Amino acid sequence: MALMITDECINCDVCEPECPNEAIYPGDEIYEIDPERCTECVGHYDEPQCQDVCPVDCIPLDPDRKETREQLQAKYEKLMGA
Ligand code: SF4
Ligand code: SF4
């Protein structure tokens, strides 16, 4: 599953540089995650880096973006151009 940022986001900017896939960007009101680029950090790290650093815990899994680990790995490889 890709992750999503909820409206509890306080725009602290901490998560954006932590994303290894450059999936996080400033939206109109709050930060957003591009689900085409979020691999739950599969391929890079054991844990989602953005969740680790978010001070208000507002980055849950997006229930509308269900993906298996294999699909996430395939997304990672595509992003890396492998
Ligand atoms: S889980 Fe990883 S890949 Fe997805 S947005 Fe967070 S830091 Fe980026
Ligand atoms: S770390 Fe959390 S609160 Fe800060 S910008 Fe990212 S999603 Fe928003």
Side-chain angles (χ1 to χ4, degrees), residues 29-50:
E29 311 241 320
I30 55 173
Y31 274 79
E32 295 179 23
I33 292 176
D34 178 354
E36 301 300 325
R37 298 191 69 85
C38 176
T39 63
E40 291 182 41
C41 285
V42 166
H44 294 283
Y45 301 103
D46 290 338
E47 303 288 335
Q49 299 298 291
C50 55

Side-chain angles (χ1 to χ4, degrees), residues 5 9-15 31 53-56 58-59:
I5 294 175
C9 172
I10 56 171
N11 288 312
C12 72
D13 309 333
V14 170
C15 57
Y31 274 79
V53 297
C54 180
V56 294
C58 69
I59 318 182

Side-chain angles (χ1 to χ4, degrees), residues 47-74:
E47 303 288 335
Q49 299 298 291
C50 55
Q51 277 183 337
D52 269 4
V53 297
C54 180
V56 294
D57 287 337
C58 69
I59 318 182
L61 288 165
D62 184 345
D64 292 334
R65 286 277 176 172
K66 286 205 169 85
E67 290 161 297
T68 64
R69 192 170 175 93
E70 288 70 31
Q71 287 173 311
L72 293 166
Q73 179 71 28

